[in-house]
């Protein structure tokens, strides 16, 4: 097995087994780095913590909820607005975030009374919001504040409110994935089955592991609507608190992000017998296959095929236009968990780019297995890389673009490497046929930006060229293309709207949901 040892990490010999270069003819057992282990001391990991995984990834997209963190203000600020979780209630969950703002005196003397006061103040400040999620942080967990007791006191005094407590301090697990597991299980045990929905339809699903990043959920909901499928609730993008309490009434759990939410689907299958079906909303073929799988479950395959035929005919010429210009471009695929394998193969197959590296910060071994299996020989796979390893990898691989998060993305820009935000997107949505073309457009804009080309010029010491005139993207991207491709009338650039979700957003009207008696965990 060709482990790859970074020069910057030779002082941490344990890191050697966390990076692998896939060799000729190697199987997964030969080319699999160690993964989902505690971060090695001294490595300076860029991972998110378990609190971040619970609040930022899964909890925050719930739209009609006050999201309050019991801890220092920094925990709350770090998990606010760095992803674009849209909602149809004027994005309440993006506009506001709440914290108890623990100080040193609270660590010494306790903070339960302050927390209770803050909860009541938050409800009074926003009387239209009657639901709250309450998140434990490291500071409040270490001093033993009882969030469940405080929440129950408030609910006893204010019978019209409901509070969900998530005990997922940052140290609960090796990465943010520990928080995914914690909040899923807690929601299942404490809230699922406590509301009965008034929902009608022959085909009812829970759409699980979808967080409506820049409108992804609106796109997928439109496809399901066209197939005659009713979404009972979405966990949790654009999701309503009370609708998510009624997850037990769906016929099928349709799972998008398995890394964050498969735990909930598995519990729903065991207790309520609801089957789980994994899908993929990225890429023409994976999305088409996914819609057909859901349709086959309900026996309505013709409806899915109609959508596939219509969408492919509309958008294939535009995807092919970008593929002709992106073919051969080197990509580092450095997202979180499931995008590692959702994107690895389809990017190469449908856009023509070459994935030269994959990494994950919080993915499990299964994510890395699927990601490596979809990559070619010579691909560098890294688990939990630190910033210096990322820099060294970029210097070695010389990628044309990187798909990653904001922190490593900012480092890439300093190295004159363009990046796209794999977590929050640049100009999404990226799901759906049109969304996938938008993704290709963003890749094209990143690689062939004339402004980016200027970044290679150091005006403090380099001679300023005077023989280069005005350049456009087409002048850069088409320089080596044949006239046949450049003049092909069947191919065209993206022709969609700036906001392709505007006509899909429906006015939010809360469903009539009857609450049961509160059940204890």
């Amino acid at each position: 097995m060709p482990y790859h040892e970074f020069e910057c990490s030779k002082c941490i010999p344990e890191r050697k087994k966390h990076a692998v270069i896939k060799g000729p003819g190697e199987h997964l057992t030969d080319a699999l780095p160690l993964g989902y282990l505690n971060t090695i001391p001294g490595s300076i990991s860029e991972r998110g913590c378990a609190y971040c995984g619970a609040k930022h990834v899964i909890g925050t997209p719930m739209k009609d909820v006050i999201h309050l963190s019991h801890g220092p203000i920094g925990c709350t600020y770090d998990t606010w607005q760095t992803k674009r979780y849209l909602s149809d209630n004027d994005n309440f969950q993006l506009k506001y975030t709440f914290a108890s703002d623990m100080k040193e005196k609270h660590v010494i003397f306790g903070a339960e009374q302050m927390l209770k006061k803050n909860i009541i103040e938050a409800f009074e400040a926003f009387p239209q919001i009657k639901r709250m999620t309450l998140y434990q942080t490291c500071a409040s967990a270490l001093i033993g504040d009882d969030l469940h007791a405080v929440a129950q006191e408030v609910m006893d005094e204010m019978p019209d409110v409901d509070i969900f407590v998530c005990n997922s301090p940052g140290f609960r697990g090796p990465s943010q994935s520990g928080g995914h597991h914690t909040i899923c299980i807690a929601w299942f045990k404490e809230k699922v089955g406590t509301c009965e929905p008034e929902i009608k339809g022959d085909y009812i699903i829970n759409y699980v592991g979808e967080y409506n990043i820049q409108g992804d959920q609106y796109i997928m909901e439109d496809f399901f609507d066209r197939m005659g499928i009713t979404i009972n609730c979405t966990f949790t993008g654009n999701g309503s608190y009370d609708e998510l309490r009624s997850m037990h009434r769906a016929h099928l759990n349709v799972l998008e992000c398995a890394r964050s939410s498969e735990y909930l689907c598995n519990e729903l299958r065991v207790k309520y017998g609801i089957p789980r079906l994994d899908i993929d909303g990225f890429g023409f073929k994976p999305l088409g296959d996914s819609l057909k799988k859901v349709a086959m479950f309900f026996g309505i395959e013709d409806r899915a095929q109609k959508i596939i035929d219509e969408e492919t005919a509309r958008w294939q010429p535009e995807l092919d236009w970008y593929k002709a210009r992106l073919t051969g471009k080197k990509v580092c695929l450095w997202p979180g968990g499931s995008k590692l394998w959702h994107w690895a193969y389809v990017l190469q197959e449908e856009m023509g780019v070459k994935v030269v590296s994959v990494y994950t910060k919080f993915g499990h071994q299964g994510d890395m297995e699927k990601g490596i299996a979809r990559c070619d020989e010579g691909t560098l796979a890294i688990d939990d890389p630190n910033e210096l390893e990322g820099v060294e990898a970029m210097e070695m691989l010389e990628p044309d673009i990187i798909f990653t998060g904001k922190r490593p993305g900012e480092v890439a820009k300093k190295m004159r490497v363009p990046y796209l935000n794999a977590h929050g997107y640049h100009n999404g949505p990226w799901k759906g046929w049109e969304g996938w073309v938008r993704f290709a457009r963003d890749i094209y804009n990143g690689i062939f930006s004339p402004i980016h080309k200027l970044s290679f010029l150091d005006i403090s010491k380099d001679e300023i060229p005077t023989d280069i005139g005005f350049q456009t993207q087409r002048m850069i991207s088409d320089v080596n293309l044949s006239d046949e491709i450049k003049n092909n009338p069947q191919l065209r650039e993206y022709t969609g709207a700036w906001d392709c979700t505007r006509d899909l957003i429906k006015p939010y009207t809360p469903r009539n949901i009857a609450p049961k008696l509160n059940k204890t965990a």
Side-chain angles (χ1 to χ4, degrees):
M1 181 187 297
Y3 285 123
H4 179 76
E5 185 173 25
F6 289 98
E7 287 293 326
C8 62
S9 294
K10 283 188 174 180
C11 58
I12 313 175
E14 299 94 329
R15 282 294 304 161
K16 182 175 180 179
K17 293 187 177 182
H18 288 261
V20 166
I21 295 178
K22 186 176 181 180
E26 287 193 327
H27 300 289
L28 290 176
T29 53
D30 304 316
L32 188 64
L34 297 180
Y36 197 57
L37 301 173
N38 290 330
T39 297
I40 299 167
S43 182
I44 317 298
S45 171
E46 293 183 340
R47 282 172 163 172
C49 67
Y51 156 80
C52 173
K55 176 182 182 288
H56 179 48
V57 176
I58 294 182
T60 298
M62 279 192 280
K63 61 188 176 185
D64 50 357
V65 178
I66 292 170
H67 297 281
L68 194 155
S69 299
H70 184 37
I73 193 69
C75 298
T76 303
Y77 187 78
D78 185 61
T79 55
W80 183 37
Q81 286 194 338
T82 57
K83 281 190 179 180
R84 302 161 191 176
Y85 303 124
L86 304 183
S87 68
D88 55 18
N89 70 332
D90 202 27
N91 298 312
F92 175 83
Q93 80 290 353
L94 282 180
K95 290 181 177 180
Y96 304 101
T97 191
F98 301 81
S100 60
D101 191 21
M102 285 181 64
K103 305 291 188 183
E104 185 176 316
K105 64 180 180 180
H106 302 123
V107 174
I108 297 171
F109 298 109
E112 290 182 357
Q113 291 305 309
M114 177 193 68
L115 174 62
K116 180 180 177 182
K117 179 182 177 183
N118 287 348
I119 293 173
I120 295 172
E121 285 182 355
F123 279 125
E124 290 176 346
F126 297 93
Q128 78 278 17
I129 304 295
K130 301 296 184 183
R131 302 294 180 256
M132 175 181 287
T133 52
L134 188 57
Y135 303 93
Q136 186 84 276
T137 65
C138 293
S140 55
L142 288 171
I143 65 173
D145 277 0
D146 190 340
L147 271 62
H148 278 96
V150 174
Q152 191 59 55
E153 281 187 30
V154 174
M155 288 190 287
D156 290 342
E157 296 175 15
M158 304 175 68
D160 59 336
V161 306
D162 195 84
I163 302 173
F164 167 63
V165 175
C166 179
N167 282 308
S168 184
F171 52 75
R172 186 166 184 158
S175 73
Q176 69 182 60
S177 185
H180 303 160
H181 181 267
T182 300
I183 192 170
C184 282
I185 299 303
W187 185 265
F188 173 78
K189 289 183 175 180
E190 297 184 23
K191 297 303 175 185
V192 172
T194 60
C195 276
E196 288 297 335
E198 284 189 6
I199 185 168
K200 297 179 181 179
D202 296 325
Y203 319 115
I204 301 174
I205 66 170
N206 294 320
Y207 189 19
V208 184
E210 165 55 56
Y211 304 110
N212 201 30
I213 299 172
Q214 285 204 13
D216 275 347
Q217 192 262 0
Y218 303 143
I219 299 293
M220 297 299 292
E221 184 177 19
D222 178 60
F223 295 145
F224 291 130
D225 282 347
R226 288 156 65 181
M227 292 166 63
I229 294 173
T230 302
I231 296 180
N232 174 43
C233 64
T234 301
F235 187 89
T236 53
N238 196 37
S240 168
Y241 185 101
D242 283 348
E243 290 174 6
L244 286 163
R245 295 164 73 187
S246 67
M247 296 185 78
H248 59 298
R249 291 307 183 197
H251 302 147
L252 175 68
N253 287 316
V254 175
L255 176 62
E256 182 80 49
C257 180
R259 176 47 46 234
S260 64
S261 300
E262 66 175 353
Y263 321 102
L264 180 58
C265 287
N266 293 343
E267 295 296 327
L268 288 165
R269 179 174 55 193
V270 170
K271 184 170 183 179
Y272 297 103
I274 305 173
R276 158 186 166 178
L277 196 155
D278 293 31
I279 68 166
D280 184 351
F282 298 105
F284 283 23
K285 189 176 188 304
L287 175 55
D289 290 345
S290 295
L291 293 185
K292 284 192 285 188
K293 283 198 302 183
V294 176
M296 287 177 65
F297 180 86
F298 293 117
I300 52 175
E301 296 92 325
D302 56 324
R303 302 182 190 182
Q305 192 61 53
K306 185 175 184 292
I307 294 173
I308 294 168
D309 294 342
E310 291 174 353
E311 296 291 327
T312 302
R314 169 67 177 86
W315 298 108
Q316 189 70 58
E318 301 185 14
L319 182 64
D320 290 344
W321 189 93
Y322 290 104
K323 182 177 181 179
R325 290 155 177 82
L326 296 175
T327 295
K329 296 300 179 183
K330 294 190 293 184
V331 169
C332 284
L333 181 52
W334 293 350
S338 59
K339 286 190 179 78
L340 174 75
W341 46 272
H342 276 311
W343 289 1
Y345 175 75
V346 71
L347 277 169
Q348 300 181 102
E349 186 70 15
E350 297 189 352
M351 295 189 194
V353 301
K354 179 176 176 57
V355 176
V356 295
S357 178
V358 293
Y359 85 28
T360 179
K361 295 176 183 176
F362 61 84
H364 296 201
Q365 288 293 82
D367 299 300
M368 189 63 84
E369 288 176 5
K370 287 181 276 191
I372 293 174
R374 289 160 169 79
C375 291
D376 296 332
E377 294 175 3
T379 303
L380 172 63
I382 321 169
D383 168 73
D384 187 24
N386 57 53
E387 182 177 307
L388 293 179
E389 290 174 348
V391 169
E392 192 173 317
M394 284 187 276
E395 292 174 341
M396 178 181 73
L397 299 170
E398 297 182 338
D400 295 291
I401 195 166
I402 289 176
F403 309 144
T404 188
K406 289 177 67 67
R407 282 173 290 193
E410 294 302 316
V411 174
K413 286 197 294 186
K414 293 178 181 179
M415 297 181 64
R416 314 311 198 261
V417 179
Y419 98 98
L420 293 182
N421 191 333
H423 306 312
Y425 305 166
H426 268 63
N427 299 288
W430 286 350
K431 282 184 182 173
W433 281 266
E434 181 178 1
W436 196 241
V437 175
R438 291 171 72 95
F439 188 16
R441 177 204 57 184
D442 286 354
I443 299 172
Y444 174 82
N445 288 343
I447 293 176
F448 297 111
S449 166
I451 300 298
H452 174 69
K453 301 303 178 187
L454 294 176
S455 69
F456 290 94
L457 183 69
D458 187 344
I459 61 174
S460 68
K461 62 180 180 179
D462 295 339
E463 183 177 349
I464 308 298
T466 58
D467 57 341
I468 299 178
F470 178 78
Q471 283 188 313
T472 65
Q473 287 177 298
R474 292 288 296 273
M475 293 169 66
I476 301 172
S477 67
D478 292 9
V479 65
N480 294 319
L481 287 183
S482 67
D483 290 338
E484 181 182 4
I485 294 178
K486 286 190 285 188
N487 301 322
N488 188 333
Q490 303 300 319
L491 307 183
R492 60 180 182 267
E493 292 184 75
Y494 177 65
T495 59
W498 175 78
D499 181 359
C500 65
T501 64
R502 182 174 300 169
D503 295 336
L504 302 178
I505 302 175
K506 305 171 184 175
Y508 175 57
T509 53
R511 292 208 310 259
N512 186 14
I513 297 178
K516 294 181 177 179
L517 295 175
N518 284 336
K519 73 174 185 179
T520 58

